[in-house]
Amino acid sequence: MKFSTTAATFAVLVSGTTAFTVASTGSSAASVVGSSIQRGASGRTAGSTTQLSEKMAEELGTPCEDECAMDSYPNMPPSVHPGVNTGQAMIDLLNHAKENGYAIPAVNCVSNSGINACLEAARKNDAPVIVQFSSGGSQFYGGKGLDNTNYQAAIAGAISGAFHVRTMAEQYGVPVILHTDHCSKKLLPWVDGLVAASERYYEKHGEPLFSSHMIDLSEEPIEENIDICKNYLARMSKIGILLEMELGITGGEEDGVDNTDVPLEDLYSKPEEIYQVYKELSPISDMFTVAAAFGNVHGVYSPGNVKLEPKILSRAQEYISEKLGGDAPADKKPVSFVFHGGSGSDIADIRESLDYGVIKMNIDTDTQWSYWEGIKNFESKYHDYLQTQIGNPEGPDKPNKKYYDPRECMRSAETTTVDRLEQSFGDLRCQKILGLGEMGEATNVLESSVFGPRKGGLPV
């Protein structure tokens, strides 16, 4: 989503029924609803006709203890579990956020190091998290040396990242929604490849590889936008994937998309437009979100330069509730919003938006900086040890390997990112959600000569 300092972007999760339709291997579909979900022997939820996949740890034969071995959480709906949540479990998680007035941080990642920092931050904050990939981030994850004709590198990179998230989210013991970010019309082959991968994964595991995908056709005519999204929703909802679509344009610049000079009128979505989307998509499935432009921007801005108007969210809820009449939910919040482009937003505006139904907030610019800041600080602190392989202030023959080992500066980057995400979790009231308590100290880890114990390593 793209835009200027006067418009804000939110995504809308339509709150209809909480059931989703899962295509079965027979001629009919199986409707998996919260009241009928039970725990299968595999540790995944099971409907009457559809058995969801076993844990990745069980499939791979990797250790799975403590939080990893849990089937559910003390404070969450029983369907929500450690690892990637899709279908009904994902809907239950998002509904829990809305009902309890918090939003889930959605963090763009470009490496397994960044993913691990997100998972560590989620566990430290006793909270769920959304890990998401852009097309450019997916290509980088696969490797910039790979040819990306027909987006093959971006497809392979996102799939590789998905399996890393699926494997490690269980180990950290946190529930994750696995999402892909903005996909414009020219990038649709990228998402096509990922949906196809989820369909193949579903055939073997009973759930999709990804939880949700965003289709961003906000630059196209609204009729074309809706028609294309209807086709994707029909395909994706059959296997429990949520669709996020966009109306209006988010200002600023992100991942090579520059919308700093778009017309002002394109930076705002009208309640009538959101309702039009609702009317056309909801007969297909209620598993969709709408990104509505409304006051925030991608990029870096000083505090006070981004002017949000959260009360427009409240007015949109009222308008759509009025249209729904007796079918409107009791809380008069028929939609759930996702907040895009929040850098530089005032905390009071962010908190107010939560009261009007925001359940997800995208984070990219600030974590890009926090990751770099960790590397920058490490280089500054150990500068004289990082100029040559041999020779430092301690002597001309002293080796520097323990300083230029890339794990050292990367761990510094992870630590600053975990710290920055703690601020985001706090801003979004997304702390102490799961009921797991504090994260214990890691043991049996590789000792770092610079930092001390390094989490995730094994002793040598």
Side-chain angles (χ1 to χ4, degrees), residues 20 22 50-53 86 201-208 239:
F20 71 93
V22 181
T50 302
Q51 178 69 47
L52 299 188
S53 71
T86 64
Y201 191 87
Y202 179 88
E203 290 177 359
K204 295 182 178 180
H205 299 87
E207 68 170 340
I239 56 173

Side-chain angles (χ1 to χ4, degrees), residues 76-145:
M76 301 296 291
S79 63
V80 179
H81 55 80
V84 172
N85 285 246
T86 64
Q88 189 63 45
M90 170 183 56
I91 296 299
D92 290 346
L93 175 55
L94 295 175
N95 285 342
H96 186 271
K98 185 176 182 181
E99 293 163 4
N100 291 275
Y102 67 90
I104 306 172
V107 189
N108 283 67
C109 295
V110 299
S111 69
N112 55 13
S113 174
I115 291 170
N116 292 348
C118 291
L119 300 177
E120 182 179 345
R123 180 59 190 90
K124 282 193 170 183
N125 287 275
D126 192 17
V129 71
I130 299 172
V131 173
Q132 57 190 30
F133 306 127
S134 66
S135 60
S138 298
Q139 182 187 359
F140 185 85
Y141 199 100
K144 296 290 282 188

Side-chain angles (χ1 to χ4, degrees), residues 1-5 7-9 108 132 181-182 214 216 244 246 249-260 295-301 306 339-345 362-365:
M1 303 176 182
K2 315 95 192 169
F3 81 6
S4 85
T5 56
T9 301
N108 283 67
Q132 57 190 30
D181 206 4
H182 299 273
M214 180 185 182
D216 179 1
E244 179 181 325
E246 180 165 357
I249 296 176
T250 307
E253 189 275 336
E254 182 179 60
D255 204 27
V257 179
D258 189 347
N259 291 304
T260 54
N296 38 335
V297 294
H298 290 141
V300 185
Y301 301 90
V306 177
F339 192 154
H340 283 246
S343 298
S345 299
N362 285 14
I363 302 167
D364 187 17
T365 300

Side-chain angles (χ1 to χ4, degrees), residues 21 26 113 196 229 251 271 278 290 303 307 316 352 362 404 440:
T21 301
S113 174
C229 285
Y278 176 87
V290 181
K307 306 296 184 184
E352 184 179 358
N362 285 14
Y404 64 75

Side-chain angles (χ1 to χ4, degrees), residues 23-24 44 62 64 91 104 114 116 118 173 207-209 214 226 248 301 306 358 379 413 417 432 438 445 450 460:
S24 67
R44 283 291 182 265
T62 54
C64 185
I91 296 299
I104 306 172
N116 292 348
C118 291
E207 68 170 340
L209 181 62
M214 180 185 182
I226 293 174
Y301 301 90
V306 177
V358 168
E379 194 284 331
T417 299
K432 300 181 179 179
E438 294 185 3
V445 296
V450 179
V460 294

Side-chain angles (χ1 to χ4, degrees), residues 198-336:
S198 275
E199 290 169 335
R200 291 190 294 272
Y201 191 87
Y202 179 88
E203 290 177 359
K204 295 182 178 180
H205 299 87
E207 68 170 340
L209 181 62
F210 289 87
S211 308
S212 55
H213 297 293
M214 180 185 182
I215 305 295
D216 179 1
L217 303 178
S218 57
E219 295 181 341
E220 314 304 326
I222 187 171
E223 292 78 12
E224 181 181 5
N225 185 350
I226 293 174
D227 285 344
I228 293 175
C229 285
K230 286 167 68 175
N231 292 332
Y232 276 95
L233 180 62
R235 179 183 179 185
M236 290 162 52
S237 62
K238 290 178 181 178
I239 56 173
I241 298 178
L242 182 143
L243 168 70
E244 179 181 325
M245 64 92 71
E246 180 165 357
L247 287 172
I249 296 176
T250 307
E253 189 275 336
E254 182 179 60
D255 204 27
V257 179
D258 189 347
N259 291 304
T260 54
D261 297 320
V262 297
L264 186 62
E265 61 268 21
D266 292 341
L267 303 180
Y268 294 88
S269 296
K270 300 177 178 63
E272 295 87 351
E273 294 173 329
I274 299 174
Y275 183 59
Q276 180 181 354
V277 171
Y278 176 87
K279 286 195 302 181
E280 298 210 33
L281 268 62
S282 58
I284 300 171
S285 171
D286 64 354
M287 293 191 67
F288 66 90
T289 63
V290 181
F294 205 99
N296 38 335
V297 294
H298 290 141
V300 185
Y301 301 90
S302 299
N305 285 345
V306 177
K307 306 296 184 184
L308 298 181
E309 301 179 47
K311 286 186 172 55
I312 299 179
L313 299 178
S314 179
R315 291 196 288 271
Q317 299 280 30
E318 292 171 2
Y319 178 86
I320 298 173
S321 292
E322 213 173 275
K323 290 293 184 180
L324 294 177
D327 293 329
D331 64 1
K332 301 301 181 183
K333 297 177 183 178
V335 298
S336 298

Side-chain angles (χ1 to χ4, degrees), residues 400-432:
N400 295 316
K401 186 178 186 302
K402 65 183 180 182
Y403 295 97
Y404 64 75
D405 183 332
R407 290 174 293 181
E408 300 294 348
C409 65
M410 289 173 67
R411 180 54 188 165
S412 178
E414 291 172 3
T415 299
T416 53
T417 299
V418 170
D419 291 343
R420 177 58 184 84
L421 283 173
E422 182 173 7
Q423 177 185 333
S424 297
F425 279 97
D427 290 347
L428 299 176
R429 301 181 187 143
C430 190
Q431 293 175 313
K432 300 181 179 179

